[in-house]
Short mmCIF file of all heavy atoms in Angstrom, two decimals:
data_model
loop_
_atom_site.label_atom_id
_atom_site.label_comp_id
_atom_site.label_asym_id
_atom_site.label_seq_id
_atom_site.Cartn_x
_atom_site.Cartn_y
_atom_site.Cartn_z
N HIS H 1 57.28 70.79 106.51
CA HIS H 1 58.26 71.68 107.13
C HIS H 1 57.61 72.85 107.86
O HIS H 1 58.23 73.48 108.70
CB HIS H 1 59.29 72.19 106.10
CG HIS H 1 58.81 73.26 105.19
ND1 HIS H 1 58.43 73.04 103.88
CD2 HIS H 1 58.69 74.60 105.38
CE1 HIS H 1 58.09 74.17 103.32
NE2 HIS H 1 58.23 75.14 104.20
N VAL H 2 56.34 73.14 107.58
CA VAL H 2 55.63 74.20 108.29
C VAL H 2 55.35 73.79 109.73
O VAL H 2 55.52 74.56 110.66
CB VAL H 2 54.32 74.57 107.58
CG1 VAL H 2 53.46 75.49 108.45
CG2 VAL H 2 54.61 75.27 106.25
N ILE H 3 54.93 72.53 109.93
CA ILE H 3 54.59 72.08 111.28
C ILE H 3 55.81 71.56 112.02
O ILE H 3 55.74 71.26 113.21
CB ILE H 3 53.48 71.01 111.26
CG1 ILE H 3 53.95 69.73 110.55
CG2 ILE H 3 52.24 71.56 110.58
CD1 ILE H 3 52.97 68.57 110.67
N ARG H 4 56.96 71.45 111.32
CA ARG H 4 58.18 70.96 111.95
C ARG H 4 58.68 71.90 113.04
O ARG H 4 59.51 71.53 113.87
CB ARG H 4 59.28 70.76 110.91
CG ARG H 4 60.43 69.89 111.36
CD ARG H 4 61.49 69.79 110.26
NE ARG H 4 60.98 69.17 109.06
CZ ARG H 4 61.67 69.06 107.93
NH1 ARG H 4 62.89 69.57 107.85
NH2 ARG H 4 61.13 68.47 106.88
N GLY H 5 58.16 73.14 113.04
CA GLY H 5 58.59 74.11 114.05
C GLY H 5 58.32 73.68 115.47
O GLY H 5 58.95 74.18 116.40
N GLY H 6 57.37 72.75 115.67
CA GLY H 6 57.14 72.21 117.01
C GLY H 6 55.93 72.78 117.73
O GLY H 6 55.27 73.69 117.25
N THR H 7 55.68 72.22 118.89
CA THR H 7 54.53 72.62 119.69
C THR H 7 54.89 73.83 120.55
O THR H 7 56.07 74.03 120.88
CB THR H 7 54.07 71.46 120.59
OG1 THR H 7 55.19 71.02 121.37
CG2 THR H 7 53.54 70.32 119.77
N PRO H 8 53.89 74.62 120.98
CA PRO H 8 52.46 74.48 120.68
C PRO H 8 52.14 74.85 119.23
O PRO H 8 52.71 75.79 118.69
CB PRO H 8 51.81 75.47 121.65
CG PRO H 8 52.86 76.51 121.87
CD PRO H 8 54.17 75.79 121.83
N LEU H 9 51.25 74.07 118.63
CA LEU H 9 50.85 74.28 117.25
C LEU H 9 49.39 74.74 117.23
O LEU H 9 48.52 74.10 117.81
CB LEU H 9 51.00 72.99 116.45
CG LEU H 9 50.73 73.09 114.96
CD1 LEU H 9 51.91 73.75 114.25
CD2 LEU H 9 50.47 71.72 114.35
N LYS H 10 49.14 75.87 116.55
CA LYS H 10 47.79 76.42 116.48
C LYS H 10 47.44 76.74 115.04
O LYS H 10 48.31 77.14 114.27
CB LYS H 10 47.69 77.69 117.33
CG LYS H 10 47.99 77.50 118.81
CD LYS H 10 47.93 78.82 119.55
CE LYS H 10 48.30 78.65 121.02
NZ LYS H 10 48.28 79.94 121.75
N ALA H 11 46.17 76.55 114.70
CA ALA H 11 45.71 76.87 113.35
C ALA H 11 44.41 77.66 113.45
O ALA H 11 43.51 77.32 114.21
CB ALA H 11 45.49 75.59 112.55
N LYS H 12 44.35 78.73 112.68
CA LYS H 12 43.17 79.61 112.72
C LYS H 12 42.81 80.00 111.29
O LYS H 12 43.67 80.43 110.51
CB LYS H 12 43.47 80.85 113.55
CG LYS H 12 42.29 81.79 113.69
CD LYS H 12 42.68 83.09 114.41
CE LYS H 12 43.11 82.83 115.83
NZ LYS H 12 43.35 84.11 116.56
N LEU H 13 41.53 79.86 110.94
CA LEU H 13 41.06 80.27 109.62
C LEU H 13 41.16 81.78 109.46
O LEU H 13 41.19 82.52 110.44
CB LEU H 13 39.61 79.83 109.41
CG LEU H 13 39.34 78.33 109.27
CD1 LEU H 13 37.85 78.06 109.21
CD2 LEU H 13 40.03 77.76 108.03
N MET H 14 41.19 82.24 108.21
CA MET H 14 41.25 83.67 107.95
C MET H 14 40.00 84.38 108.44
O MET H 14 40.01 85.60 108.62
CB MET H 14 41.46 83.92 106.46
CG MET H 14 42.75 83.32 105.91
SD MET H 14 44.23 83.77 106.86
CE MET H 14 44.21 85.54 106.68
N THR H 15 38.96 83.63 108.69
CA THR H 15 37.74 84.21 109.25
C THR H 15 37.89 84.46 110.75
O THR H 15 37.03 85.07 111.38
CB THR H 15 36.55 83.27 109.03
OG1 THR H 15 36.84 82.01 109.65
CG2 THR H 15 36.30 83.05 107.56
N GLY H 16 38.97 83.96 111.34
CA GLY H 16 39.20 84.10 112.78
C GLY H 16 38.84 82.88 113.58
O GLY H 16 39.15 82.79 114.77
N GLU H 17 38.23 81.89 112.93
CA GLU H 17 37.80 80.68 113.63
C GLU H 17 38.98 79.75 113.89
O GLU H 17 39.77 79.44 112.99
CB GLU H 17 36.75 79.95 112.80
CG GLU H 17 36.18 78.70 113.47
CD GLU H 17 35.14 78.01 112.61
OE1 GLU H 17 34.84 78.52 111.51
OE2 GLU H 17 34.66 76.94 113.04
N LYS H 18 39.13 79.30 115.14
CA LYS H 18 40.20 78.37 115.50
C LYS H 18 39.82 76.96 115.05
O LYS H 18 38.66 76.56 115.13
CB LYS H 18 40.45 78.39 117.01
CG LYS H 18 41.00 79.71 117.52
CD LYS H 18 41.25 79.65 119.02
CE LYS H 18 41.80 80.98 119.53
NZ LYS H 18 42.03 80.96 121.00
N LEU H 19 40.81 76.21 114.63
CA LEU H 19 40.57 74.85 114.16
C LEU H 19 40.99 73.83 115.22
O LEU H 19 42.02 73.99 115.87
CB LEU H 19 41.36 74.58 112.87
CG LEU H 19 40.97 75.43 111.65
CD1 LEU H 19 41.88 75.10 110.48
CD2 LEU H 19 39.50 75.19 111.27
N GLU H 20 40.19 72.81 115.37
CA GLU H 20 40.50 71.72 116.29
C GLU H 20 41.12 70.58 115.48
O GLU H 20 40.46 69.95 114.65
CB GLU H 20 39.23 71.24 117.00
CG GLU H 20 39.50 70.20 118.07
CD GLU H 20 38.24 69.76 118.80
OE1 GLU H 20 37.20 70.44 118.64
OE2 GLU H 20 38.29 68.75 119.52
N LEU H 21 42.42 70.34 115.72
CA LEU H 21 43.16 69.37 114.92
C LEU H 21 43.24 68.03 115.64
O LEU H 21 43.50 67.97 116.83
CB LEU H 21 44.58 69.89 114.66
CG LEU H 21 44.67 71.30 114.07
CD1 LEU H 21 46.12 71.70 113.88
CD2 LEU H 21 43.90 71.40 112.75
N ARG H 22 43.06 66.97 114.90
CA ARG H 22 43.10 65.62 115.48
C ARG H 22 44.19 64.78 114.81
O ARG H 22 45.37 65.10 114.90
CB ARG H 22 41.72 64.97 115.34
CG ARG H 22 40.63 65.64 116.18
CD ARG H 22 40.85 65.43 117.68
NE ARG H 22 39.86 66.15 118.47
CZ ARG H 22 38.66 65.66 118.79
NH1 ARG H 22 38.31 64.46 118.35
NH2 ARG H 22 37.83 66.36 119.53
N GLU H 23 43.80 63.74 114.12
CA GLU H 23 44.76 62.78 113.55
C GLU H 23 45.75 63.47 112.61
O GLU H 23 45.37 64.33 111.80
CB GLU H 23 43.99 61.70 112.78
CG GLU H 23 44.90 60.66 112.12
CD GLU H 23 44.10 59.69 111.25
OE1 GLU H 23 42.86 59.70 111.33
OE2 GLU H 23 44.74 58.92 110.51
N LEU H 24 47.02 63.09 112.72
CA LEU H 24 48.07 63.63 111.86
C LEU H 24 48.53 62.57 110.88
O LEU H 24 48.79 61.42 111.25
CB LEU H 24 49.26 64.09 112.70
CG LEU H 24 50.54 64.47 111.93
CD1 LEU H 24 50.29 65.67 111.02
CD2 LEU H 24 51.68 64.77 112.91
N GLN H 25 48.65 62.96 109.61
CA GLN H 25 49.18 62.08 108.58
C GLN H 25 50.29 62.81 107.83
O GLN H 25 50.19 64.01 107.56
CB GLN H 25 48.09 61.63 107.60
CG GLN H 25 47.03 60.74 108.25
CD GLN H 25 46.03 60.22 107.23
OE1 GLN H 25 45.88 60.76 106.14
NE2 GLN H 25 45.32 59.16 107.60
N ILE H 26 51.36 62.08 107.50
CA ILE H 26 52.50 62.63 106.77
C ILE H 26 52.62 61.91 105.43
O ILE H 26 52.45 60.69 105.36
CB ILE H 26 53.82 62.44 107.56
CG1 ILE H 26 53.69 63.01 108.98
CG2 ILE H 26 54.99 63.09 106.82
CD1 ILE H 26 53.51 64.50 109.05
N ALA H 27 52.89 62.67 104.37
CA ALA H 27 53.06 62.06 103.05
C ALA H 27 54.32 61.20 103.05
O ALA H 27 55.35 61.58 103.61
CB ALA H 27 53.15 63.14 101.98
N ALA H 28 54.23 60.06 102.39
CA ALA H 28 55.35 59.11 102.39
C ALA H 28 56.53 59.58 101.57
O ALA H 28 57.68 59.24 101.86
CB ALA H 28 54.87 57.75 101.88
N ASP H 29 56.28 60.38 100.53
CA ASP H 29 57.37 60.70 99.60
C ASP H 29 57.47 62.17 99.20
O ASP H 29 58.08 62.50 98.19
CB ASP H 29 57.22 59.86 98.32
CG ASP H 29 55.92 60.16 97.59
OD1 ASP H 29 55.03 60.85 98.16
OD2 ASP H 29 55.78 59.73 96.43
N ARG H 30 56.84 63.06 99.98
CA ARG H 30 56.91 64.48 99.64
C ARG H 30 56.69 65.35 100.87
O ARG H 30 56.25 64.86 101.92
CB ARG H 30 55.90 64.83 98.55
CG ARG H 30 54.45 64.62 98.94
CD ARG H 30 53.55 64.47 97.73
NE ARG H 30 53.76 63.19 97.08
CZ ARG H 30 53.15 62.81 95.96
NH1 ARG H 30 52.32 63.63 95.33
NH2 ARG H 30 53.39 61.62 95.44
N ASP H 31 57.01 66.63 100.77
CA ASP H 31 56.91 67.57 101.89
C ASP H 31 55.46 68.01 102.07
O ASP H 31 55.07 69.11 101.68
CB ASP H 31 57.82 68.77 101.62
CG ASP H 31 57.87 69.76 102.78
OD1 ASP H 31 57.16 69.54 103.78
OD2 ASP H 31 58.62 70.75 102.67
N ALA H 32 54.66 67.13 102.65
CA ALA H 32 53.25 67.43 102.85
C ALA H 32 52.75 66.74 104.12
O ALA H 32 53.24 65.67 104.49
CB ALA H 32 52.42 66.98 101.65
N ALA H 33 51.80 67.38 104.76
CA ALA H 33 51.19 66.83 105.97
C ALA H 33 49.74 67.27 106.02
O ALA H 33 49.36 68.27 105.39
CB ALA H 33 51.94 67.29 107.22
N ARG H 34 48.93 66.54 106.78
CA ARG H 34 47.55 66.97 106.94
C ARG H 34 47.01 66.51 108.29
O ARG H 34 47.39 65.45 108.80
CB ARG H 34 46.67 66.43 105.81
CG ARG H 34 46.48 64.92 105.79
CD ARG H 34 45.57 64.51 104.63
NE ARG H 34 45.23 63.08 104.67
CZ ARG H 34 44.40 62.49 103.83
NH1 ARG H 34 43.81 63.19 102.86
NH2 ARG H 34 44.13 61.19 103.94
N PHE H 35 46.14 67.35 108.86
CA PHE H 35 45.45 67.05 110.11
C PHE H 35 43.96 66.87 109.82
O PHE H 35 43.38 67.65 109.04
CB PHE H 35 45.59 68.20 111.11
CG PHE H 35 46.94 68.34 111.74
CD1 PHE H 35 47.87 69.21 111.21
CD2 PHE H 35 47.26 67.62 112.89
CE1 PHE H 35 49.12 69.36 111.81
CE2 PHE H 35 48.49 67.77 113.49
CZ PHE H 35 49.43 68.64 112.95
#
């Protein structure tokens, strides 16, 4: 539900480093996702 907000989607570490996201996977039976 965090990424459901839509594009553009950006992720940045608390250190300030931007993350380069590739393959997306969604959990089959729970509210979870991972890039």
Side-chain angles (χ1 to χ4, degrees):
H1 77 258
V2 169
I3 65 172
R4 197 182 298 174
T7 55
L9 185 76
K10 300 177 183 179
K12 182 186 296 186
L13 291 174
M14 300 309 299
T15 59
E17 183 180 358
K18 294 181 180 179
L19 296 177
E20 186 178 347
L21 308 179
R22 294 291 176 86
E23 179 186 349
L24 170 62
Q25 294 185 341
I26 306 295
D29 62 348
R30 63 201 72 183
D31 185 357
R34 67 179 187 176
F35 287 95

